[in-house]
Amino acid sequence: MKSIVLLGASGSIGVQTIDVVLNHSDEFVIKALSIGYNVKVLKDILTKVHPEIVCVVRKEDAQALSSEYPDIRFVYGDEGLVELAGLDGYDVLVNALVGFAGLLPTMRAIETGHDIALANKETLVVGGSFVMEAAKKHGVSLYPIDSEHSAIFQCLQGNQHHEVKRLIVTASGGSFRNRTRDQLKGVTVQEALSHPNWSMGAKITIDSATMMNKGFEVIEAHWLFGFDFDHIDVVMHPESVVHSMVEFVDTAVVAQLGTPDMRLPIQYALSWPRRLSLPGESLDFTKLSALHFAPASFERFPLLGLAYEVGRRQGNLPAVLNAANEVANQAFRDGRIEFLDIEDLVISTVNEFEFKKEITFEDVLEADAKAREIVEMKIKEKM
Ligand code: MG
């Protein structure tokens, strides 16, 4: 029986993680979980799973819930998240938090010797070198919960690192893939939030439309699998059937295909090296009329190009890139800026930021905070 701490239980990945756990209740149990503000969703979750500890954002929610559920211990805030990550007696942390908030709990889980199933890609974008170094030091494994990285992880099974020629990350192109840059002027939040293939959370759906998400995934792949950026390619694949591929030195290409169902990457991250049954839809090849592939354009998707550049330069820039994007993404969803402003804000903030190559973990936190301030200032100037 594998005992799980689940951070971000009410989000898209969190809900599907609970589904996986309930489908295999003889394999997995949830020891602790966190949610944000949505107490109603939490109450629904608590009719299905029975954690010992729950973390919420607000102290008053924790207090009110404590009297309603005397058998559960409630904690709150960022400290609560870190406490959950550092608990004794569990096997794997499922980190399905959104954004920078996922970094400190990840570090805590690693330092206390827990394996991690990681859906929070920002953790690796921002703190990749620190996270990987700590994981090595503490003998901890990281399992990807991202469809592309799960696909690569599956393709790599049974092969050696030096046998790989390149990783090929597929990209759907997001909600605006068929539009030119001119046609992006004045697009609405609602339009941006309708992803053609995947049903995901709001932040990542916007990141998909700018392809910042794909840029993050390139950096994530670099850290997870240990390949340099010259050996990680992105290819457009609008059908999202091929979840990603690996080319080996003998030119053989191994791909993982399937219907778009995030429960597979979640489940595989928890069950590896075994495979368990999944009550999902099988891919029907006879119904696939065609699969398309095309080059990914850095002109059309400048944030993808920027991610490669930032990934290669490292230092404090990944933290700046992520922070600028988090603020700009949120500002667009709040109706404060236009869609194309997201790119302008992120690119200008990264380019103007004072580059520091050799950094400590504190520098990462500092770059994050400063970049947020700068973007906020730029947004106010625009308004
Ligand atoms: Mg992905």
Side-chain angles (χ1 to χ4, degrees):
M1 189 72 120
K2 204 172 243 185
S3 170
I4 294 166
V5 170
L6 169 61
L7 303 186
S10 59
S12 172
I13 297 292
V15 167
Q16 295 179 83
T17 301
I18 291 171
D19 196 33
V20 166
V21 167
L22 294 175
N23 282 336
H24 293 284
S25 52
D26 51 336
E27 297 271 350
F28 309 122
V29 63
I30 293 189
K31 181 184 174 72
L33 61 82
S34 86
I35 64 142
Y37 298 95
N38 202 331
V39 172
K40 200 167 159 270
V41 170
L42 173 64
K43 288 183 177 178
D44 181 48
I45 290 172
L46 293 180
T47 62
K48 298 178 208 155
V49 296
H50 310 287
E52 296 163 27
I53 308 177
V54 169
C55 178
V56 292
V57 174
R58 285 186 296 226
K59 187 180 180 182
E60 52 269 37
D61 288 339
Q63 285 168 338
L65 287 159
S66 290
S67 42
E68 201 172 331
Y69 299 91
D71 296 340
I72 301 175
R73 185 158 76 85
F74 288 88
V75 296
Y76 59 90
D78 289 344
E79 284 163 33
L81 292 176
V82 173
E83 183 179 341
L84 255 54
L87 287 174
D88 284 335
Y90 80 96
D91 299 300
V92 59
L93 179 85
V94 176
N95 187 339
L97 295 171
V98 177
F100 182 76
L103 180 59
L104 290 179
T106 297
M107 289 301 281
R108 178 72 181 148
I110 293 173
E111 283 158 10
T112 49
H114 297 101
D115 287 341
I116 308 221
L118 191 66
N120 176 251
K121 66 191 79 183
E122 294 90 343
T123 281
L124 282 180
V125 171
V126 173
S129 61
F130 299 96
V131 169
M132 297 316 289
E133 198 184 296
K136 202 173 159 195
K137 182 175 158 199
H138 294 277
V140 160
S141 299
L142 265 70
Y143 302 105
I145 302 185
D146 199 340
S147 60
E148 295 80 359
H149 304 76
S150 178
I152 290 167
F153 183 51
Q154 292 175 59
C155 296
L156 287 171
Q157 297 300 310
N159 292 286
Q160 304 292 318
H161 192 274
H162 68 265
E163 295 166 343
V164 174
K165 194 177 203 174
R166 62 182 177 134
L167 310 181
I168 305 163
V169 179
T170 54
S172 74
S175 1
F176 299 139
R177 62 193 184 196
N178 296 325
R179 298 192 189 213
T180 64
R181 293 189 63 74
D182 265 353
Q183 292 168 335
L184 291 175
K185 286 176 189 143
V187 292
T188 65
V189 176
Q190 224 32 55
E191 288 172 298
L193 282 178
S194 24
H195 194 284
N197 307 347
W198 294 92
S199 145
M200 306 180 287
K203 196 246 175 192
I204 188 174
T205 304
I206 303 299
D207 283 347
S208 296
T210 60
M211 275 184 71
M212 184 74 273
N213 180 58
K214 205 51 58 181
F216 286 166
E217 290 183 351
V218 168
I219 298 176
E220 186 187 6
H222 162 77
W223 290 116
L224 277 175
F225 305 115
F227 293 97
D228 65 41
F229 290 88
D230 294 339
H231 294 95
I232 306 171
D233 290 340
V234 172
V235 62
M236 306 301 285
H237 169 48
E239 290 87 1
S240 296
V241 167
V242 177
H243 295 317
S244 277
M245 304 174 260
V246 175
E247 183 182 351
F248 293 92
V249 286
D250 58 2
T251 71
V253 176
V254 177
Q256 188 254 320
L257 287 69
T259 50
D261 185 339
M262 282 308 293
R263 292 178 304 170
L264 169 61
I266 295 167
Q267 181 171 296
Y268 192 66
L270 296 174
S271 71
W272 181 90
R274 294 182 303 147
R275 285 187 183 272
L276 304 176
S277 67
L278 196 151
E281 217 183 304
S282 291
L283 186 61
D284 184 348
F285 282 91
T286 62
K287 289 198 176 124
L288 295 173
S289 54
L291 296 178
H292 297 86
F293 300 92
S297 160
F298 289 176
E299 279 80 51
R300 171 63 183 80
F301 296 103
L303 293 186
L304 178 62
L306 182 67
Y308 269 96
E309 188 197 322
V310 164
R312 287 188 170 103
R313 291 178 71 193
Q314 283 301 316
N316 55 354
L317 292 184
V320 176
L321 177 72
N322 177 69
N325 180 64
E326 273 188 35
V327 177
N329 178 314
Q330 183 70 56
F332 171 65
R333 280 182 283 144
D334 292 343
R336 298 170 69 207
I337 59 170
E338 297 282 320
F339 181 77
L340 285 171
D341 291 335
I342 302 175
E343 292 171 355
D344 289 345
L345 288 165
V346 174
I347 291 168
S348 63
T349 305
V350 169
N351 287 341
E352 291 160 21
F353 208 90
E354 193 185 335
F355 177 54
K356 199 169 169 190
K357 179 75 184 166
E358 299 301 327
I359 53 160
T360 63
F361 192 70
E362 282 63 42
D363 291 326
V364 171
L365 304 181
E366 200 185 298
D368 172 82
K370 197 168 168 207
R372 281 168 202 273
E373 265 173 45
I374 293 173
V375 180
E376 273 302 336
M377 238 160 52
K378 285 173 183 279
I379 292 172
K380 285 196 185 103
E381 280 165 17
K382 274 182 192 285
M383 286 164 82

